[in-house]
Amino acid sequence: MNTIKSAIIYTRVSSKGQSAFGTISLQVQEQKCREFCESKNIKVLKVYQDVRSGFDMTKLDGLQRAVRHLKRTNKNTMFVVYDVSRFSRNQTTGLSLLEQIRAKSRMVYSVLDTFLYDNNENNRFLWQQALDVAQKERERLIKKVNDSITFRIQRGDNFGNPGFGFKAVRMENDSRVFIQDVEEQEAIRDIILMNNDDRDCDYIANVMNTAEQLYRGSLWTASSVFYLINRTIRYLRTHNLTFGQTL
């Protein structure tokens, strides 16, 4: 590693909100990679990042750009990641890309794992094992999430945010269900009645805002009124209901 003069850093998280316990943010990954480079007097050329799962590497645009950049540099440039799982969670495609990099006489270094992917067979074996662990961790996480979703569906949970006119409540069995919100249902009724009187959306929004019947704390707009009217009409048609049956 003494011949390495520069580095390209790559960081990755699976989602924008990945900052909970047990995960590590893009910022922390970059900081640790930079600290490593500084300790070795290695100049950082550029930092690339992705916010996406590490399994399908063809969709990791930041990684692909980072590797292309690496291949254009001289042999004294190294590819640096925080840990193996940030590089990939797919052992097969991960090893394939590592071999492409090695074929260009470049090395990849994992800061947390403290090993290189280079011409040393033992080092390559360590990467192979670490990629296998990373992939299996992903598979276990998916299984846990799917088991949780299946359980909640069987329990009768509703998912996501309740649409206007409904609110989420916890039942005695801890299931999360949507029930009608009386005030919001009244707002829907008033909007539908004005629409039935051929009032346009701008007019309806103005009436609702003047009466302080707001859209969850925000002012109504012609667009939000139009969306609500069409959503309500679709709901009625789908369930073969008349308007009065929904209140």
Side-chain angles (χ1 to χ4, degrees), residues 11-15 17-33 50 82-83 85-86 89 112:
T11 63
R12 184 187 64 78
V13 292
S14 297
S15 62
Q18 186 172 335
S19 58
F21 179 78
T23 63
I24 188 162
S25 68
L26 294 170
Q27 292 81 1
V28 174
Q29 292 177 49
E30 180 179 340
Q31 177 184 329
K32 292 302 179 182
C33 290
D50 278 307
Y82 175 70
D83 74 21
S85 71
R86 300 306 87 201
R89 284 197 181 274
L112 184 64

Side-chain angles (χ1 to χ4, degrees), residues 10-14 29 50 52-58 60 63-64 79 81-98 108 110 113 127-138:
Y10 173 70
T11 63
R12 184 187 64 78
V13 292
S14 297
Q29 292 177 49
D50 278 307
R52 186 179 284 274
S53 166
F55 186 75
D56 187 351
M57 298 180 70
T58 63
L60 296 176
L63 177 62
Q64 301 302 326
F79 197 87
V81 295
Y82 175 70
D83 74 21
V84 170
S85 71
R86 300 306 87 201
F87 180 78
S88 176
R89 284 197 181 274
N90 186 318
Q91 186 186 45
T92 301
T93 54
L95 287 173
S96 175
L97 185 57
L98 286 167
V108 183
S110 170
D113 303 295
W127 269 86
Q128 180 179 347
Q129 286 185 311
L131 284 169
D132 181 56
V133 170
Q135 180 171 331
K136 287 178 178 176
E137 284 177 348
R138 174 185 179 273

Side-chain angles (χ1 to χ4, degrees), residues 4 9 28 47 61 78 98 153-154 159 162 169 237 239:
I4 299 300
I9 293 174
V28 174
V47 178
D61 296 334
M78 182 168 61
L98 286 167
I153 290 174
Q154 292 173 344
F159 295 87
V169 297
R237 289 174 177 171
H239 296 84

Side-chain angles (χ1 to χ4, degrees), residues 56-72:
D56 187 351
M57 298 180 70
T58 63
K59 295 182 179 180
L60 296 176
D61 296 334
L63 177 62
Q64 301 302 326
R65 288 186 285 111
V67 172
R68 288 197 297 269
H69 186 172
L70 180 69
K71 291 177 179 179
R72 295 195 303 269

